[in-house]
Amino acid sequence: MHSDRQGNSLTGASAEAADAFDAAVECFNLYRGDPVGTIDKAISNAPGFVMAHVLKAWFFALATEPAAAAEASRIVAHARTLHPDDRAASHLNAIAHVLAGNWSKAAIALDFHSMTWPHDIVAVQAGHLIDFFRANARDLRDRIARTLPRWSEDRPGYSVLLGMHAFGLEEAGDYAAAEAKGREALDRQPLDGWAHHAVAHVMEMQGRPEDGLGWMETREPHWAGDSAYFQVHNWWHKALYHLELTQVEDALALYDDRVRALGGNLSVNLVDASALLWRIRLEGHDTGDRWVSLAEAWSPLADGRLYPFNDLHAAMAFLAAGRRGDAERIVTAYRADQRDSEVASWCRQTGLPLIEGFVAFHDGDYEAAMRKLHGVRFIANSFGGSHAQRDVIDWTLVEAAIRSGKRDAAEALANERLALRPHSPVNRSFLHRSSELHGR
């Protein structure tokens, strides 16, 4: 019986397949290289190697794309014919919950999985990503807190857990501990793109754009490059620092040369593209015809059923590209959705009013946009993304208040933002523009 680098048994693996599995897991851990191609080598060498199929299923299930979800379903069905052991069967159960649109059921299943198999780094990371996709800050932090004491510092992958813990601490608002953990993780493994981005999030949330730019630039050789498939999100963070400093041209150049040029048509990268370009548009900058190709890239991915966080960002692109009907198509799908699943609830309760609010904003009905977005932003973290990503909702809300001429509301919302980041040029601009309004 072969084992992985963390000591878990690998039923059905050959020595060569086990080595390929470990290599694919490391690609997954560090968001580098070719995890799918690498795990395919393991499957080709040992077709009955169940955990290799499990790992590949996770890659596709966590992609939040319709075609990828269909492929994950096929892999799960095949893996169940290979007589999985208890650990592999537990994984397959969790993946099935994700594919059924019940992300929290999957997360809870993996909570208990990791209590039984604490050194199963695939389960820990899959659970961490599920916590991110369902925006559960507590489990982002506590999943790793439960697991870390059962790892020794010399067990392979220990630094990866530190990087995940850093991001969980940041989303839970413990910024000092998050930065310390992230830096420790990178001292141990400088190539960890997730740990690097955890520290970038801290600097974003604390309103430290100059520090953030320095952080990105001095460490760029570690987080960027052809093999780093998480780099688009890190470029996005760098662009946000430029926006915070009102360096809009620099942010737009990063959109063109990095975020869009390197992002391809993967939904996770298209989310960053939409969110960045929408912020630039809110700043009153001409975005040209960039929205046209972005909307086209979103067309096969935003189905109004799989993942509403993606649909919201697709709707931004559709609206800005003059394809209002495509945004309405998503709204219609939400209203007709009668499924009994967590994702269906996200669509109806959060996705629907959010997209309606963005549609109203696009139509110039700023009072309606303000009403929709103000109420729903308090539950927007029930359906995905980080605090930094969801901030596009609040940017749009404040802008709607200003454009509606509602001085009292605009000032109140600007002051809310300034309480968290009092030195932010963007937030100061919101307050200045609000104070110039004449209407109450």
Side-chain angles (χ1 to χ4, degrees), residues 397-426:
L397 169 63
V398 181
E399 189 63 35
I402 293 171
R403 295 188 189 187
S404 73
K406 301 292 186 182
R407 188 186 69 202
D408 289 349
E411 285 185 346
L413 292 166
N415 282 327
E416 173 190 303
R417 294 179 66 86
L418 281 163
L420 294 175
R421 290 189 286 190
H423 304 296
S424 163
V426 170

Coordinates of all heavy atoms in Angstrom, one line a residue, residues 397-426:
L397 N -23.4 51.2 -4.2 CA -24.4 51.8 -3.4 C -24.1 53.2 -3.1 O -25.0 54.1 -3.2 CB -24.5 51.0 -2.1 CG -25.3 51.6 -0.9 CD1 -26.8 51.7 -1.4 CD2 -25.2 50.8 0.3
V398 N -22.9 53.6 -2.7 CA -22.6 55.0 -2.4 C -22.7 55.8 -3.6 O -23.2 56.9 -3.6 CB -21.2 55.1 -1.8 CG1 -20.9 56.5 -1.4 CG2 -21.0 54.2 -0.5
E399 N -22.2 55.3 -4.7 CA -22.3 56.1 -6.0 C -23.8 56.3 -6.3 O -24.2 57.4 -6.8 CB -21.6 55.3 -7.1 CG -21.5 56.1 -8.4 CD -20.6 57.4 -8.2 OE1 -19.7 57.4 -7.4 OE2 -21.0 58.4 -8.9
A400 N -24.6 55.3 -6.1 CA -26.1 55.5 -6.4 C -26.7 56.5 -5.5 O -27.5 57.4 -5.9 CB -26.8 54.1 -6.2
A401 N -26.3 56.6 -4.2 CA -26.8 57.6 -3.3 C -26.4 59.0 -3.7 O -27.2 59.9 -3.7 CB -26.3 57.3 -1.9
I402 N -25.1 59.1 -4.2 CA -24.6 60.4 -4.7 C -25.4 60.8 -5.9 O -25.9 62.0 -6.0 CB -23.1 60.4 -4.9 CG1 -22.4 60.2 -3.6 CG2 -22.7 61.7 -5.6 CD1 -20.9 60.0 -3.7
R403 N -25.5 59.9 -6.9 CA -26.2 60.3 -8.1 C -27.7 60.5 -8.0 O -28.3 61.2 -8.8 CB -25.9 59.2 -9.2 CG -24.5 59.0 -9.5 CD -24.3 58.1 -10.7 NE -22.9 57.8 -10.9 CZ -22.4 57.1 -12.0 NH1 -23.2 56.6 -12.9 NH2 -21.1 56.9 -12.1
S404 N -28.3 60.0 -6.9 CA -29.7 60.2 -6.6 C -29.9 61.6 -6.0 O -31.1 62.0 -5.9 CB -30.2 59.1 -5.7 OG -29.8 59.3 -4.4
G405 N -28.8 62.2 -5.6 CA -29.0 63.5 -5.0 C -29.4 63.5 -3.5 O -29.7 64.5 -2.9
K406 N -29.3 62.3 -2.9 CA -29.7 62.2 -1.5 C -28.5 62.5 -0.6 O -27.8 61.6 -0.3 CB -30.3 60.7 -1.3 CG -31.5 60.4 -2.1 CD -32.7 61.2 -1.7 CE -33.9 60.7 -2.5 NZ -35.1 61.5 -2.2
R407 N -28.4 63.7 -0.2 CA -27.2 64.1 0.5 C -27.1 63.4 1.9 O -26.0 62.9 2.2 CB -27.2 65.6 0.8 CG -25.9 66.1 1.4 CD -26.0 67.6 1.7 NE -26.9 67.8 2.9 CZ -27.5 69.0 3.2 NH1 -27.3 70.0 2.3 NH2 -28.3 69.1 4.2
D408 N -28.1 63.3 2.6 CA -28.1 62.7 3.9 C -27.6 61.2 3.8 O -26.8 60.8 4.6 CB -29.4 62.8 4.7 CG -29.7 64.2 5.1 OD1 -28.8 65.0 5.0 OD2 -30.9 64.4 5.5
A409 N -28.2 60.5 2.9 CA -27.9 59.1 2.7 C -26.5 59.0 2.2 O -25.7 58.1 2.7 CB -28.9 58.4 1.7
A410 N -26.1 59.8 1.3 CA -24.7 59.7 0.7 C -23.7 60.0 1.8 O -22.7 59.3 1.9 CB -24.6 60.7 -0.5
E411 N -23.9 61.0 2.6 CA -22.9 61.4 3.6 C -22.8 60.2 4.6 O -21.8 59.9 5.1 CB -23.3 62.7 4.3 CG -23.0 63.9 3.5 CD -23.3 65.2 4.3 OE1 -24.0 65.1 5.3 OE2 -22.9 66.3 3.8
A412 N -24.0 59.7 5.0 CA -24.0 58.6 6.0 C -23.2 57.4 5.5 O -22.4 56.8 6.2 CB -25.4 58.2 6.3
L413 N -23.4 57.0 4.2 CA -22.7 55.9 3.7 C -21.2 56.2 3.5 O -20.4 55.3 3.7 CB -23.3 55.5 2.3 CG -24.7 54.9 2.4 CD1 -25.4 54.9 1.1 CD2 -24.7 53.5 3.1
A414 N -20.9 57.4 3.2 CA -19.4 57.8 3.1 C -18.8 57.7 4.4 O -17.7 57.2 4.6 CB -19.3 59.1 2.4
N415 N -19.5 58.2 5.4 CA -18.9 58.2 6.8 C -18.7 56.8 7.3 O -17.8 56.5 8.0 CB -19.8 59.0 7.7 CG -19.7 60.5 7.6 OD1 -18.6 61.0 7.3 ND2 -20.7 61.2 7.8
E416 N -19.7 55.9 6.9 CA -19.5 54.5 7.3 C -18.2 53.9 6.7 O -17.5 53.2 7.5 CB -20.7 53.7 6.7 CG -20.6 52.2 6.9 CD -21.7 51.5 6.1 OE1 -22.9 51.8 6.3 OE2 -21.4 50.7 5.2
R417 N -17.9 54.2 5.5 CA -16.7 53.7 4.9 C -15.4 54.4 5.6 O -14.4 53.7 5.8 CB -16.7 54.0 3.4 CG -17.7 53.2 2.6 CD -17.7 53.5 1.1 NE -16.4 53.1 0.5 CZ -16.2 51.8 0.1 NH1 -17.2 50.9 0.2 NH2 -15.0 51.5 -0.5
L418 N -15.5 55.7 5.8 CA -14.4 56.4 6.4 C -14.1 55.9 7.8 O -13.0 56.0 8.3 CB -14.7 57.9 6.4 CG -14.4 58.6 5.1 CD1 -15.1 60.0 5.1 CD2 -13.0 58.7 4.8
A419 N -15.1 55.4 8.6 CA -14.8 54.9 9.9 C -13.9 53.7 9.9 O -13.1 53.5 10.8 CB -16.2 54.5 10.6
L420 N -13.9 52.9 8.8 CA -13.0 51.8 8.6 C -11.7 52.2 8.0 O -10.6 51.6 8.4 CB -13.7 50.7 7.8 CG -15.0 50.1 8.4 CD1 -15.6 49.1 7.4 CD2 -14.6 49.3 9.7
R421 N -11.7 53.1 7.0 CA -10.5 53.5 6.3 C -10.5 55.0 6.2 O -10.8 55.6 5.2 CB -10.4 52.8 5.0 CG -10.1 51.3 5.1 CD -9.8 50.7 3.8 NE -11.0 50.6 2.9 CZ -11.0 49.9 1.8 NH1 -9.9 49.3 1.4 NH2 -12.1 49.8 1.1
P422 N -10.1 55.7 7.3 CA -10.3 57.2 7.3 C -9.4 57.9 6.4 O -9.6 59.1 6.1 CB -10.0 57.5 8.8 CG -9.2 56.4 9.3 CD -9.7 55.2 8.6
H423 N -8.3 57.3 5.9 CA -7.3 58.0 5.1 C -7.5 57.6 3.6 O -6.7 58.1 2.8 CB -5.9 57.7 5.5 CG -5.6 58.0 6.9 ND1 -5.7 59.2 7.5 CD2 -5.4 57.1 8.0 CE1 -5.4 59.2 8.8 NE2 -5.2 57.9 9.1
S424 N -8.6 56.9 3.3 CA -8.8 56.5 1.9 C -9.2 57.6 1.0 O -10.2 58.3 1.3 CB -9.9 55.4 1.9 OG -10.4 55.2 0.6
P425 N -8.4 57.9 0.0 CA -8.8 59.0 -1.0 C -10.1 58.7 -1.6 O -10.9 59.6 -1.9 CB -7.6 58.9 -2.0 CG -6.5 58.4 -1.3 CD -7.1 57.3 -0.3
V426 N -10.4 57.4 -1.9 CA -11.7 57.1 -2.5 C -12.9 57.5 -1.6 O -13.8 58.1 -1.9 CB -11.8 55.6 -2.9 CG1 -13.2 55.2 -3.3 CG2 -10.8 55.3 -4.0

